[in-house]
Amino acid sequence: MGRIGTSELLVILLIAIVLFGGSRISGLGKALGTSLREFRSELNKGAEEKHESSGTAIAKK
């Protein structure tokens, strides 16, 4: 088994569009983006709380 190349990814994307339709896929992409943003936010919040409790400061970007 090897790595997935560009042509394989295009075939998978084409099959997904045919099966689910473009509007549903864009909705799934939006939901995935929102989930990732919330996940990162929670990770950053946890890191800030950990550093505050230990007495060290963390620089925000």
Side-chain angles (χ1 to χ4, degrees):
M1 292 288 156
R3 297 181 186 195
I4 296 178
T6 305
S7 59
E8 289 86 359
L9 289 175
L10 288 175
V11 170
I12 292 170
L13 181 61
L14 181 64
I15 292 171
I17 289 173
V18 168
L19 290 176
F20 299 111
S23 62
R24 181 175 266 175
I25 289 177
S26 69
L28 289 172
K30 182 178 179 181
L32 179 62
T34 302
S35 298
L36 284 174
R37 254 191 317 275
E38 290 176 6
F39 180 72
R40 288 181 186 154
S41 172
E42 291 298 320
L43 283 178
N44 289 337
K45 198 182 303 181
E48 288 175 7
E49 290 174 0
K50 181 179 177 183
H51 285 288
E52 286 175 4
S53 67
S54 66
T56 59
I58 182 171
K60 291 187 180 180
K61 292 182 181 180

